[in-house]
Amino acid sequence: MDAMLQLFKDLTEAPGASGYEGPVRDVMRRYLEAIGEVKVDHLGGIIASHVGQESGPRIALAAHLDEIGLLVTRITDDGFLKFQPLGGWWDHVLLGMRVEVITRSGPIIGVIGVKPPHILGNEERSRMVDKKAMYIDIGAASREEAVSWGVRPGDSVVPVGPLTPMRNPDLLLAKAWDNRVGCAIVIETLRRLNNEQHPNIVFGIGNAQEEVGLRGAATTTYITQPDIGIAIDTAIAGDMPGVGADDAMSRLGQGPALLLIDGSLIAHAGLRHLVIDVAAEEGIPLQFDLMPGGGTDGGRMHIFGSGVPTIVIGPPVRYIHSASAIVHRRDIEQTVQLLVALIRRLDSATVQRLQQGP
């Protein structure tokens, strides 16, 4: 297994639901400590710094550590686990999903179940099953047995979704690409900058609790006080049946996507123009995306202090917020190439011009 594939495996397979990001942070720390000084904030976010020029602008390059998951709320008398979502699950994708319950004693395998359709009435069978009717079956025969195995209310739950190259080996299937792909891009971008000069101070960041309200971006932005914000997150791949060009514009294998607008951020116009220009100069294909119904860490970054010119960029991914998402390796590589080239151009004069307003 090559080094980048190992990085993807380490990140995607680590459990890290919102508020429980420790194992992912440990992976990111292991890779970042070879590059620069590493700090952890009090919410569990991680920040690595790389100095190209001591007096240069401060550039925040931020992904989020957390994946959508579940929280154990109650153990029934019969040993089944009731749960609360952590982040935006679509109820359809939960049924039959294999999961790991992350206890203090270690992970316990389980499956999300519900009454089978064979014993439902016609009307009940035609409706989408509400997650309130679902439960996690860990094979325990009673509450007492589940407790003896270490299960407690408040334990986090994540899908089982090992990294799997597909028949086309450039397509990688895994859980948690949203947003472990961003974490991988942050690590690889800092690694490449470590081998060259750049005119600024770059902070490589893994934020906590993005999926439940962009919370960690507030604390790490306060700590780093950036002049420029770059959030790395997944774009919605639209190259699938039933999705039109106005629903999702980016396609796997066609390069990184620049987010024009989401529910928390309008891309800074000057920085958007610069990204487009840099991509053209470097011969890197660039796609565009919009997500009016969601938000990203850029939504918190751009309103810090007197304002931070901010963009969101990242590779398109199919089937995010499920246990099995697909990303194209070339899109990851080209995102890193674009970020390295962009950071080289973010010198003091350029940043001061961008700070004058879009």
Side-chain angles (χ1 to χ4, degrees):
M1 182 177 292
D2 65 65
M4 282 298 291
L5 203 60
Q6 186 64 56
L7 171 62
F8 300 151
K9 180 179 176 64
D10 291 346
L11 286 168
T12 58
E13 294 184 4
S18 302
Y20 299 83
E21 297 91 351
V24 189
R25 184 176 62 249
D26 290 344
V27 172
M28 205 164 177
R29 183 202 297 269
R30 189 170 79 243
Y31 282 94
L32 288 173
E33 281 180 336
I35 299 169
E37 180 187 6
V38 175
K39 298 179 181 178
V40 175
D41 74 10
H42 297 168
L43 280 187
I46 188 168
I47 304 166
S49 57
H50 187 269
V51 179
Q53 185 174 320
E54 286 279 0
S55 59
R58 301 167 70 86
I59 313 299
L61 191 66
H64 64 87
L65 300 166
D66 57 321
E67 62 188 291
I68 60 171
L70 307 170
L71 178 77
V72 175
T73 57
R74 183 170 67 88
I75 308 172
T76 72
D77 292 342
D78 295 327
F80 297 98
L81 312 183
K82 300 296 288 186
F83 60 84
Q84 164 74 30
L86 292 172
W89 283 104
W90 194 35
D91 292 5
H92 276 93
V93 304
L94 288 169
L95 284 176
M97 188 170 73
R98 292 190 183 193
V99 296
E100 285 184 322
V101 182
I102 309 302
T103 77
R104 293 199 302 175
S105 304
I108 295 176
I109 198 75
V111 63
I112 296 179
V114 74
K115 288 192 299 183
H118 311 73
I119 60 174
L120 300 179
N122 289 334
E123 182 182 351
E124 196 176 9
R125 193 181 302 163
S126 65
R127 294 197 304 264
M128 182 168 67
V129 179
D130 190 286
K131 63 176 71 72
K132 291 181 180 179
M134 302 177 195
Y135 51 81
I136 299 170
D137 186 344
I138 59 170
S142 65
R143 176 190 291 115
E144 290 74 21
E145 185 169 37
V147 169
S148 74
W149 292 350
V151 180
R152 294 184 175 188
D155 286 342
S156 68
V157 182
V158 296
V160 173
L163 179 77
T164 307
M166 303 183 76
R167 179 64 180 265
N168 175 353
D170 286 333
L171 296 180
L172 303 175
L173 180 70
K175 76 170 181 69
W177 277 128
D178 181 12
N179 186 26
R180 306 295 161 67
V181 68
C183 296
I185 288 167
V186 168
I187 291 168
E188 182 62 11
T189 301
L190 259 66
R191 188 190 69 78
R192 295 189 191 184
L193 289 172
N194 198 37
N195 297 320
E196 62 176 79
Q197 289 294 314
H198 55 91
N200 39 49
I201 303 168
V202 179
F203 297 96
I205 299 168
N207 284 320
Q209 300 190 39
E210 188 267 359
E211 295 288 1
V212 291
L214 319 182
R215 298 170 186 173
T219 54
T220 58
T221 304
Y222 175 83
I223 291 169
T224 56
Q225 300 187 25
D227 298 302
I228 296 291
I230 305 172
I232 313 302
D233 213 329
T234 55
I236 307 296
D239 51 348
M240 66 186 76
V243 179
D246 292 327
D247 300 319
M249 298 184 287
S250 60
R251 304 173 66 85
L252 296 187
Q254 301 300 309
L258 175 63
L259 188 67
L260 302 174
I261 186 170
D262 66 25
S264 65
L265 170 76
I266 302 169
H268 184 277
L271 192 50
R272 172 172 55 86
H273 289 314
L274 180 60
V275 171
I276 295 170
D277 291 345
V278 170
E281 292 167 11
E282 296 290 325
I284 298 169
L286 184 65
Q287 307 186 81
F288 298 96
D289 190 30
L290 72 163
M291 192 172 56
T296 64
D297 282 336
R300 288 293 180 93
M301 297 168 75
H302 81 290
I303 55 174
F304 171 76
S306 57
V308 179
T310 298
I311 55 163
V312 182
I313 195 166
V317 179
R318 289 185 192 148
Y319 319 125
I320 64 168
H321 286 214
S322 77
S324 301
I326 301 173
V327 69
H328 198 295
R329 224 176 138 158
R330 183 167 62 239
D331 295 332
I332 300 173
E333 170 61 25
Q334 290 175 335
T335 303
V336 173
Q337 291 173 3
L338 179 57
L339 290 170
V340 170
L342 176 64
I343 288 167
R344 286 196 204 109
R345 288 161 173 80
L346 288 171
D347 56 19
S348 295
T350 300
V351 170
Q352 287 172 13
R353 185 172 67 252
L354 292 170
Q355 289 175 326
Q356 298 308 306

